[in-house]
Amino acid sequence: RILVPWLIWSAIYGFANLAVGRAPVAPMPAWWVGLLAGSSIHLWYLPFILMALLLLDVVKPYVRKAPAAMVAAILAAMLMIFASTWRPTSIALGYPIAQWAHAMPAVLMGVYFLFAPKIPRACALLGFLVIAIGLLAPVADIRLRLPFLEGAAVIALISSGVVVPLMRWDVSPLADCAFGIYLCHAIFQKAFALAGMGQGPTLAILTFFVSLTFVLVARRGSLFFRTYMS
């Protein structure tokens, strides 16, 4: 579900780079860094989340749910509160290590939300409070915590079971397109930029809706795309 799309889209972006006279993969200090970086900067997420999920599958049978949830919540909060001490180092290490480090609080929050429904409510609430402290702490870097604050709020609302029954339309078809939009959006973004469109909200909004339309049509018309490319 992750490895095959990673390989396919890495090849697509690699050929796209060749088409405009660039190297398929940007030069890196070591070959394995170039492999993990991929042929487009946004593909850093795929090998990262693949390794994170594999590691989680390995350790999950051997950990107790409540302690694991609390440890994940505490580590996530600490990473956000003390971001100013580790972010400069991670940024200096360059792509994709900087992106991987930036995403670690989200991974740890994901581990907490994985176990939270299966542990005593008091423990789950305490873990959520710890994460909230990390998200709201004034000393935390706003560039790091703002996206996580938004994501955690949405996850908490959905997990509460209150919001979904109130929704009057099914968002599943759009949600099914999210992975495909992530994978293909850089092609349209680069095409619009080559056509002369400058950076800004217009480029972002146009890229999103064109990508969404493309993925909706491609998923309906191609079993291969639906299965292996989105």
Side-chain angles (χ1 to χ4, degrees):
R1 189 66 184 92
I2 296 175
L3 181 60
V4 174
W6 177 36
L7 295 174
I8 291 175
W9 284 98
S10 291
I12 290 173
Y13 283 104
F15 283 117
N17 290 338
L18 286 173
V20 295
R22 299 175 182 170
V25 177
M28 293 289 175
W31 67 268
W32 61 270
V33 178
L35 177 65
L36 295 175
S39 51
S40 179
I41 189 168
H42 74 295
L43 295 179
W44 68 266
Y45 172 77
L46 295 179
F48 171 78
I49 200 62
L50 176 63
M51 289 186 287
L53 290 174
L54 289 174
L55 179 61
L56 182 61
D57 282 343
V58 170
V59 303
K60 190 166 57 174
Y62 302 101
V63 299
R64 295 171 58 191
K65 295 180 177 62
M70 288 304 302
V71 168
I74 292 170
L75 289 176
M78 290 179 64
L79 283 175
M80 287 181 285
I81 291 172
F82 297 107
S84 60
T85 63
W86 59 263
R87 282 197 83 234
T89 301
S90 69
I91 292 172
L93 290 173
Y95 166 72
I97 305 302
Q99 284 81 356
W100 290 14
H102 186 91
M104 278 308 301
V107 171
L108 292 165
M109 282 190 282
V111 173
Y112 161 78
F113 281 112
L114 171 68
F115 292 124
K118 307 169 187 176
I119 63 178
R121 178 168 294 185
C123 186
L125 289 174
L126 179 59
F128 186 77
L129 177 61
V130 169
I131 289 176
I133 292 172
L135 289 168
L136 299 173
V139 295
D141 191 328
I142 187 64
R143 295 168 297 177
L144 180 72
R145 61 187 172 96
L146 184 58
F148 299 152
L149 179 60
E150 297 169 350
V154 171
I155 292 172
L157 285 173
I158 294 174
S159 301
S160 69
V162 175
V163 176
V164 175
L166 298 177
M167 298 181 66
R168 299 184 179 276
W169 56 291
D170 184 12
V171 299
S172 298
L174 295 179
D176 291 340
C177 294
F179 189 41
I181 293 171
Y182 153 73
L183 290 167
C184 77
H185 80 277
I187 286 181
F188 297 109
Q189 185 181 38
K190 291 175 181 178
F192 294 140
L194 287 173
M197 185 174 292
Q199 297 291 329
T202 302
L203 176 61
I205 294 170
L206 183 62
T207 297
F208 172 77
F209 281 106
V210 171
S211 301
L212 172 61
T213 303
F214 170 75
V215 173
L216 276 171
V217 173
R219 284 180 61 85
R220 291 179 179 177
S222 171
L223 177 63
F224 182 86
F225 186 94
R226 187 165 63 250
T227 306
Y228 298 111
M229 296 180 66
S230 66

